[in-house]
């Protein structure tokens, strides 16, 4: 009888542990759009909308660990990738993408939205050759508050397209408001410009203002392609080193953001304030 009780307790313990693991590893998904070209996005747990929280080491580490856990739990392929809407809260309309391939390939993408010029980029693989088997990117360029079509293309070293994946994405509104979605520019001279983004460093919001502070990035046609919300004040300068972008998020804080949107470095200047 005593042995039977021990056996029952052991079975119950195993069952409880199994249930815990099952629910702790459970994931929630959301549709990328409300049309027939939708794809599943992973919803992260306990995401914050407070920028003071978002730009903290504790929060960024927690989100980063969630993503790394998902990468280990599942075998993400190109046709079934890991996709997350603005995972780190640092790029409003961006989409995180992760997958693996059996051979070294180069990824590029195009974002199409009706009434706007297409936006196309070759993605940074963090390799000298530009080709890799492990792909981790942040797809920027979606038009806010619109349905965008994102098409990702894989190319081999011989220049041959080996696969494509396309889906629609209902991008959210900008946190700083949907004004200035486009700015005037001289389109007759865009051929002389490099294929980059023009950055408006900030809207000069005071520390105690309720107005949302942000950086905005525009393409050569003056079309909004990215919003990076910041805590307050404005960003004065952008520096790049080792695939990390450094900029100020307030009058007393500077951060280093990796190409996935992950803030891996936070510097507090204490009593020293930027340009005040």
């Amino acid at each position: 009888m005593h042995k039977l009780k021990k056996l029952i307790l052991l079975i119950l313990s195993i069952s409880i542990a199994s249930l815990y693991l099952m629910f702790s590893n459970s994931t929630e998904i959301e549709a990328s759009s409300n049309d027939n070209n939708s794809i599943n996005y992973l919803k992260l747990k306990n995401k914050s909308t407070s920028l003071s929280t978002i730009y903290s080491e504790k929060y960024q580490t927690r989100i980063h660990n969630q993503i790394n856990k998902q990468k280990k739990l599942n075998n993400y392929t190109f046709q079934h990738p890991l996709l997350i809407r603005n995972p780190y809260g640092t790029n409003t309309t961006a989409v995180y993408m992760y997958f693996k391939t059996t051979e070294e390939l180069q990824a590029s993408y195009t974002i199409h939205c009706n009434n706007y010029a297409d936006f196309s980029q070759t993605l940074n693989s963090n390799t000298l050759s530009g080709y890799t088997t492990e792909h981790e990117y942040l797809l920027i360029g979606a038009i806010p508050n619109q349905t965008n079509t994102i098409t990702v293309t894989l190319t081999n070293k011989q220049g041959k397209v080996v696969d494509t994946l396309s889906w629609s994405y209902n991008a959210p509104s900008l946190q700083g408001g949907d004004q200035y979605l486009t700015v005037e520019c001289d389109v007759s001279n865009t051929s002389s410009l490099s294929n980059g983004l023009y950055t408006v460093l900030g809207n000069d919001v005071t520390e105690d203002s309720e107005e949302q502070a942000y950086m905005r990035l525009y393409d050569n046609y003056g079309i909004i392609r990215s919003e990076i919300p910041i805590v307050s004040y404005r960003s004065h300068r952008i520096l790049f080193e080792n695939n990390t972008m450094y900029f100020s998020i307030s009058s007393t804080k500077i951060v280093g953001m990796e190409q996935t949107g992950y803030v891996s470095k936070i510097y507090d200047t204490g009593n020293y304030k930027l340009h005040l």
Side-chain angles (χ1 to χ4, degrees):
M1 188 68 178
H2 184 64
K3 289 184 178 179
L4 180 59
K5 286 183 177 180
K6 281 189 172 182
L7 180 60
I8 292 172
L9 287 173
L10 178 61
I11 293 172
L12 284 172
S13 300
I14 294 172
S15 300
I16 291 170
S18 299
L19 285 170
Y20 172 78
L21 288 172
M22 182 178 71
F23 284 108
S24 64
N25 291 331
S26 63
T27 57
E28 187 177 352
I29 60 173
E30 61 179 338
S32 65
S33 65
N34 53 7
D35 60 21
N36 293 330
N37 196 32
S38 175
I39 198 170
N40 287 335
Y41 284 179
L42 176 72
K43 286 188 71 173
L44 296 175
K45 299 176 182 177
N46 302 317
K47 285 193 70 176
S48 177
T49 57
S50 165
L51 287 168
S52 296
T53 299
I54 286 170
Y55 284 107
S56 67
E57 182 180 355
K58 181 179 179 181
Y59 181 81
Q60 291 291 318
T61 300
R62 178 160 57 80
I63 295 296
H64 195 55
N65 289 341
Q66 277 193 62
I67 294 173
N68 285 337
K69 182 178 179 180
Q70 287 300 317
K71 287 160 59 176
K72 293 176 181 177
L73 283 175
N74 297 282
N75 180 29
Y76 290 106
T77 64
F78 180 61
Q79 288 298 326
H80 297 91
L82 172 60
L83 296 168
I84 309 171
R85 185 196 308 260
N86 184 21
Y88 295 102
T90 54
N91 208 309
T92 306
T93 59
V95 178
Y96 170 90
M97 184 178 196
Y98 175 84
F99 60 93
K100 289 184 177 181
T101 52
T102 55
E103 64 174 310
E104 291 188 343
L105 299 170
Q106 184 179 71
S108 59
Y109 76 107
T110 295
I111 292 182
H112 171 79
C113 184
N114 291 339
N115 302 317
Y116 293 91
D118 286 355
F119 180 74
S120 299
Q121 295 287 321
T122 298
L123 291 160
N124 182 7
S125 65
N126 290 319
T127 63
L128 292 176
S129 66
Y131 297 83
T132 185
T133 58
E134 186 171 16
H135 304 259
E136 188 174 33
Y137 310 114
L138 191 70
L139 310 179
I140 68 168
I143 303 299
N145 205 28
Q146 298 289 328
T147 299
N148 299 258
T149 300
I150 303 177
T151 302
V152 182
T153 302
L154 294 182
T155 306
N156 65 18
K157 291 182 177 180
Q158 291 70 47
K160 180 182 177 182
V161 173
V162 297
D163 211 346
T164 59
L165 178 66
S166 182
W167 71 93
S168 54
Y169 169 42
N170 290 346
S173 298
L174 298 178
Q175 295 186 41
D178 283 340
Q179 69 273 32
Y180 311 120
L181 294 185
T182 61
V183 294
E184 288 188 26
C185 62
D186 185 357
V187 295
S188 64
N189 292 324
T190 55
S191 60
S192 61
L193 297 174
S194 61
N195 189 22
L197 294 171
Y198 179 83
T199 304
V200 177
L201 288 175
N203 51 334
D204 204 5
V205 173
T206 59
E207 301 286 338
D208 57 354
S209 173
E210 293 183 1
E211 184 180 352
Q212 177 62 60
Y214 55 77
M215 284 196 299
R216 289 189 176 178
L217 289 78
Y218 294 84
D219 66 16
N220 291 344
Y221 298 96
I223 301 170
I224 185 76
R225 295 301 178 182
S226 174
E227 178 193 63
I228 299 174
I230 60 175
V231 175
S232 61
Y233 199 40
R234 65 180 182 271
S235 297
H236 286 278
R237 190 179 179 189
I238 298 176
L239 296 175
F240 292 90
E241 184 179 29
N242 298 326
N243 286 318
T244 301
M245 182 172 79
Y246 294 86
F247 57 96
S248 58
I249 59 164
S250 72
S251 62
T252 58
K253 281 191 177 181
I254 299 168
V255 301
M257 185 170 72
E258 297 183 7
Q259 66 187 55
T260 58
Y262 168 51
V263 175
S264 57
K265 297 176 176 63
I266 301 175
Y267 305 95
D268 194 326
T269 60
N271 294 325
Y272 293 94
K273 294 190 175 183
L274 301 172
H275 289 209
L276 290 179

